[in-house]
Amino acid sequence: MRHLIDFGDLSRAEWDSLYQRCSEIMDHPADFLDACKGRVMASLFYEPSTRTNFSFQTAMLRVGGTVFGFADPRSSSVAKGETLKDTIKMVSGYADVVVMRNTQEGAAKAASLYSDVPVINAGDGGHMHPTQTTADLTTITRLRGKVDGLSVGLCGDLKNGRTVHSLIKAMAKFQGIKFFLIAPRELAIPEYMRSFMRENNMWFTEVTGLESVIPQLDVLYMTRIQRERFVDPLEYERNKGIYVLTRRKLDRAKKDLLVMHPLPRVDEIDIDVDDDPRAVYFKQARYGMFARMALLTDLANQPRIDPGAVEIGREPVCHNPRCVTQTEHYLPPLVKKNGGVGCCAYCDAALD
């Protein structure tokens, strides 16, 4: 693994190896205090973040490395109009690994084309969030002992939920997973994710109600309705607060259910659920730090590699208004197949 852009790019063997290292770090953290000594991580956060930003910074410090970067692009040359390519070429000259969050879908993929060092996708718009998935799988494996054979409920904004998209792609590597996709019709899973699940023979059903399926679940993955992803404020108002997990609803759930959430939460989990032993979302956040420590000990220690010349694009072939190709017009027009359909290799949107 050179970059972590999409969890789907990892093999099951690569994930098993990463989790094994993560488990060793959790059990014996003192053995990894110098694992990244002398290494430098660039943290480029074009979008607000608490957990992911702090988690990565803490992870790098705990394995002996150092960190520089920005949490607001207005404090960088991005505010002067610098392209993503130029930012990455410059920053990768200083760092050993680049961690990037961006509002544009496919931005991390674009960055990887120009970087001399590994790039880690810390979230690209509503597209993917693979390191949150490492936190999710670490939590499930640590607390349940396995991932295979589980019934998983994904609840909330499944249209814009990058954590959900990444988790589905990751679970294609496991056996016997059943997905209950719980969302209002306006926020249902994108078609490219349906195509992915069908192509990988994954069992799933789409429902609009939580209470009817909660007794069947081994894992309930709650997500917030994301105000920042809505173009129409009225659409957000119609959907906010549509799903709220309460202690009463948990009365019908399994005794060993895991209630997870990528955080931050708004109103989708009542605060009194926090005291239920099945609520593991704060443990999940801590496990995410260990997962990122394991990831950094691998990627931050890789050699520098010149990516070479990249084809210069003339105009975007993707019509997704949130795709990075809409603003970075020099990007090469990369296309891939998803479910037999031609898709943008940056944001996974179907091409006409």
Side-chain angles (χ1 to χ4, degrees), residues 153-333:
L154 304 175
C155 181
D157 184 354
L158 307 189
K159 175 183 178 182
N160 302 299
R162 58 193 174 197
T163 60
V164 166
H165 306 165
S166 287
L167 186 57
I168 290 173
K169 282 204 166 185
M171 286 195 162
K173 305 177 191 311
F174 298 88
Q175 302 298 315
I177 302 295
K178 290 186 175 181
F179 278 119
F180 295 81
L181 306 177
I182 310 156
R185 290 180 177 85
E186 300 96 317
L187 301 178
I189 203 80
E191 185 55 39
Y192 74 84
M193 289 306 308
R194 287 194 194 93
S195 297
F196 175 84
M197 287 186 283
R198 293 187 188 109
E199 187 175 11
N200 287 274
N201 298 313
M202 301 174 73
W203 189 98
F204 70 95
T205 184
E206 297 186 69
V207 299
T208 55
L210 170 59
E211 292 186 67
S212 62
V213 299
I214 198 170
Q216 303 176 61
L217 304 180
D218 300 304
V219 175
L220 173 58
Y221 196 94
M222 297 293 295
T223 65
R224 67 187 172 92
I225 306 299
Q226 303 180 64
R227 181 197 296 267
E228 65 272 24
R229 306 294 177 211
F230 285 81
V231 176
D232 182 358
L234 292 178
E235 186 181 2
Y236 170 75
E237 292 297 326
R238 284 195 303 271
N239 287 287
K240 73 174 185 179
I242 194 167
Y243 300 113
V244 179
L245 182 64
T246 63
R247 288 292 289 264
R248 182 185 62 79
K249 291 176 183 175
L250 279 175
D251 287 343
R252 303 183 64 236
K254 294 179 180 179
K255 298 303 181 184
D256 59 352
L257 172 72
L258 298 183
V259 179
M260 300 174 64
H261 193 303
L263 301 176
R265 67 173 164 186
V266 181
D267 56 5
E268 61 277 3
I269 300 179
D270 271 1
I271 196 166
D272 64 356
V273 172
D274 296 353
D275 296 326
D276 191 297
R278 292 169 289 187
V280 299
Y281 29 87
F282 293 116
K283 284 184 179 179
Q284 180 184 352
R286 179 164 172 78
Y287 289 156
M289 176 188 68
F290 293 116
R292 292 177 176 110
M293 289 168 69
L295 184 64
L296 288 168
T297 59
D298 179 355
L299 297 191
N301 284 300
Q302 291 195 19
R304 301 179 64 83
I305 299 175
D306 185 339
V310 178
E311 176 190 354
I312 299 175
R314 301 303 174 191
E315 60 182 19
V317 297
C318 180
H319 301 298
N320 175 7
R322 298 181 298 275
C323 182
V324 67
T325 60
Q326 295 295 321
T327 55
E328 311 285 331
H329 294 165
Y330 53 84
L331 291 172

Side-chain angles (χ1 to χ4, degrees), residues 67-99:
V67 181
F68 76 92
F70 58 75
D72 183 349
R74 291 175 298 182
S75 65
S76 74
S77 290
V78 174
K80 302 175 184 177
E82 184 173 63
T83 65
L84 178 64
K85 173 186 176 181
D86 286 2
T87 298
I88 294 300
K89 293 295 288 184
M90 182 270 298
V91 168
S92 69
Y94 302 150
D96 298 295
V97 63
V98 174
V99 175

Side-chain angles (χ1 to χ4, degrees), residues 107-143:
K109 172 67 175 178
S112 71
L113 301 178
Y114 305 103
S115 178
D116 294 341
V117 300
V119 172
I120 299 174
N121 183 5
D124 57 335
H127 184 226
M128 292 289 162
H129 194 349
T131 68
Q132 178 62 48
T133 303
T134 66
D136 300 340
L137 293 181
T138 297
T139 302
I140 295 170
T141 307
R142 190 79 171 178
L143 299 180

